[in-house]
Amino acid sequence: MKILWNNKIVDESEVKIDTEDRGYQFGDGIYEVIRIYDGLLYMEEEHLERFWRCAEKIRLTLPFTKEEFSQRLHQFAEEVGIKNGRLYFQVTHGTSKPRFHAFPEPQKVMPVLTADIQETSRPLEKLSKGIKGGFVPDKRWLHCDIKSISLLGNILALNEAQENGYDDAILVRDGFVTEASSSNLWMVKDGVIYTHPDGELILPGITKIKVRELAKDLGIELVEEPFTKERLADADECFKTSSVAEVMPIISIDGKNIGDGTPGTITKQLQAAYIEAIEKSVKKM
Ligand code: PDD
């Protein structure tokens, strides 16, 4: 597999990461996941904007401009040649020796960037049948808006849900539903879509930006306000969104059907509109 490692495109066997890299030791870094459809880095600009915003939040100065990085990613994607996949990249604060907790002074360390592209197909069966969710307490930190590589909170939640026989965790903080373990979460009640507002309790999803636009185009009311797990259990439809999961129906929670236990009408409308939007962007390329 080829890896983009700082400025170079190399074979994975050539990558050397210091054992004192702050990403490795502290989880001190951020990441992005972009879907590639037919060679198109879907919603690249929005992903890069979030990456830069997150870098700022962890006081990390990226050693290139957005334009330079975009060019580098395109060159990398071209060289790898995978037309349908997912691009993962992360940057850490680099190596500071000896190990110390405080952020290093920017001039003393070089951030370390790695990226890879893996072939990915759309999760078609799950998209058509839906998946099962289970409520799990949201015990993550209070900077969930930072796309941090420290994902233990999310992983523990997913693991707990899967141990209980569910596909994904639906996170609940103080009685209110925040998001799923690696996706944003939505419900539909009486024709209105609800989702948690952006802020420090959730990751502001790029797919969420698109779904906002699509709901508007379809004339469906969207309310961004916190809702309780009881309201969700009583919803007509539920779905989650992410660059990888797209618009994924959730048909039951804790073993109880949502609506009639099949993907809902508005969920299916949004799924279709999402694919149409991708196809339009690919044609424009
Ligand atoms: N996860 N919320 C969380 C906690 C996430 O990890 C993600 C993305 C999202 C949706 O973000 P977006 O629409 O920008 O993909 C929401 C990625 C896909 C991952 O960790 O693999």
Side-chain angles (χ1 to χ4, degrees), residues 156-284:
L156 282 168
L158 174 63
N159 201 56
E160 185 174 331
Q162 292 189 338
E163 275 171 1
N164 292 330
Y166 306 121
D167 298 303
D168 199 359
I170 294 172
L171 302 173
V172 181
R173 197 191 283 267
D174 299 330
F176 290 92
V177 174
T178 50
E179 57 184 340
S181 74
S182 58
S183 311
N184 290 118
L185 196 98
W186 312 67
M187 69 165 208
V188 180
K189 184 70 182 173
D190 298 328
V192 179
I193 308 175
Y194 297 86
T195 195
H196 197 288
D198 288 345
E200 291 180 342
L201 299 185
I202 66 162
L203 183 82
I206 303 306
T207 319
K208 189 180 182 197
I209 299 175
K210 185 53 73 182
V211 169
R212 252 189 219 121
E213 273 174 40
L214 298 175
K216 196 167 172 220
D217 292 349
L218 292 166
I220 306 168
E221 191 183 345
L222 165 60
V223 179
E224 296 195 40
E225 67 177 24
F227 50 84
T228 60
K229 57 189 280 204
E230 289 75 22
R231 270 183 77 202
L232 174 54
D234 185 45
D236 302 324
E237 303 179 28
C238 176
F239 59 94
K240 66 175 190 175
T241 59
S242 83
S243 305
V244 176
E246 300 181 353
V247 178
M248 179 65 71
I250 296 178
I251 53 170
S252 68
I253 302 177
D254 282 355
K256 182 178 169 285
N257 280 352
I258 299 295
D260 66 1
T262 63
T265 316
I266 289 181
T267 307
K268 286 198 274 190
Q269 257 180 296
L270 287 169
Q271 279 185 328
Y274 190 69
I275 289 309
E276 215 176 291
I278 293 168
E279 283 167 359
K280 263 196 210 151
S281 305
V282 167
K283 268 198 201 131
K284 266 201 248 157

Side-chain angles (χ1 to χ4, degrees), residues 6-252:
N6 297 328
N7 281 325
K8 293 179 275 183
I9 298 171
V10 296
D11 187 80
E12 63 185 308
S13 61
E14 292 173 59
V15 178
K16 289 191 187 74
I17 302 288
D18 199 297
T19 54
E20 291 201 83
D21 185 280
R22 295 180 61 86
Y24 185 62
Q25 284 193 332
F26 295 112
D28 177 0
I30 51 166
Y31 76 104
E32 273 298 330
V33 176
I34 304 184
R35 270 297 260 118
I36 305 179
Y37 295 104
D38 263 332
L40 170 79
L41 273 58
Y42 191 54
M43 300 189 77
E44 179 197 351
E45 210 176 301
E46 290 83 350
H47 281 279
L48 293 192
E49 256 165 42
R50 184 172 64 190
F51 193 58
W52 254 257
R53 253 193 345 261
C54 288
E56 212 170 284
K57 284 181 181 167
I58 67 161
R59 323 264 193 289
L60 193 154
T61 312
L62 291 161
F64 35 69
T65 64
K66 244 181 249 164
E67 292 68 29
E68 285 166 348
F69 186 51
S70 168
Q71 266 184 9
R72 202 168 295 166
L73 288 179
H74 281 259
Q75 191 192 0
F76 179 53
E78 187 108 326
E79 197 158 325
V80 172
I82 291 175
K83 292 280 174 222
N84 288 289
R86 66 114 191 88
L87 163 66
Y88 174 88
F89 54 90
Q90 67 166 56
V91 68
T92 74
H93 256 119
T95 300
S96 50
K97 286 183 188 177
R99 178 179 182 272
F100 62 94
H101 287 71
F103 284 134
E105 285 172 50
Q107 60 275 23
K108 290 205 178 141
V109 287
M110 197 56 199
V112 173
L113 175 103
T114 50
D116 68 76
I117 296 175
Q118 292 192 21
E119 192 122 29
T120 309
S121 41
R122 303 184 49 226
L124 291 176
E125 194 177 335
K126 286 182 177 167
L127 284 170
S128 84
K129 289 190 181 154
I131 60 163
K132 296 173 186 164
F135 287 123
V136 175
D138 190 347
K139 295 181 183 171
R140 299 174 301 165
W141 65 339
L142 293 171
H143 289 295
C144 297
D145 53 326
I146 300 176
K147 203 160 171 56
S148 160
I149 59 171
S150 325
L151 285 173
L152 261 185
N154 306 57
I155 291 166
L156 282 168
L158 174 63
N159 201 56
E160 185 174 331
Q162 292 189 338
E163 275 171 1
N164 292 330
Y166 306 121
D167 298 303
D168 199 359
I170 294 172
L171 302 173
V172 181
R173 197 191 283 267
D174 299 330
F176 290 92
V177 174
T178 50
E179 57 184 340
S181 74
S182 58
S183 311
N184 290 118
L185 196 98
W186 312 67
M187 69 165 208
V188 180
K189 184 70 182 173
D190 298 328
V192 179
I193 308 175
Y194 297 86
T195 195
H196 197 288
D198 288 345
E200 291 180 342
L201 299 185
I202 66 162
L203 183 82
I206 303 306
T207 319
K208 189 180 182 197
I209 299 175
K210 185 53 73 182
V211 169
R212 252 189 219 121
E213 273 174 40
L214 298 175
K216 196 167 172 220
D217 292 349
L218 292 166
I220 306 168
E221 191 183 345
L222 165 60
V223 179
E224 296 195 40
E225 67 177 24
F227 50 84
T228 60
K229 57 189 280 204
E230 289 75 22
R231 270 183 77 202
L232 174 54
D234 185 45
D236 302 324
E237 303 179 28
C238 176
F239 59 94
K240 66 175 190 175
T241 59
S242 83
S243 305
V244 176
E246 300 181 353
V247 178
M248 179 65 71
I250 296 178
I251 53 170
S252 68

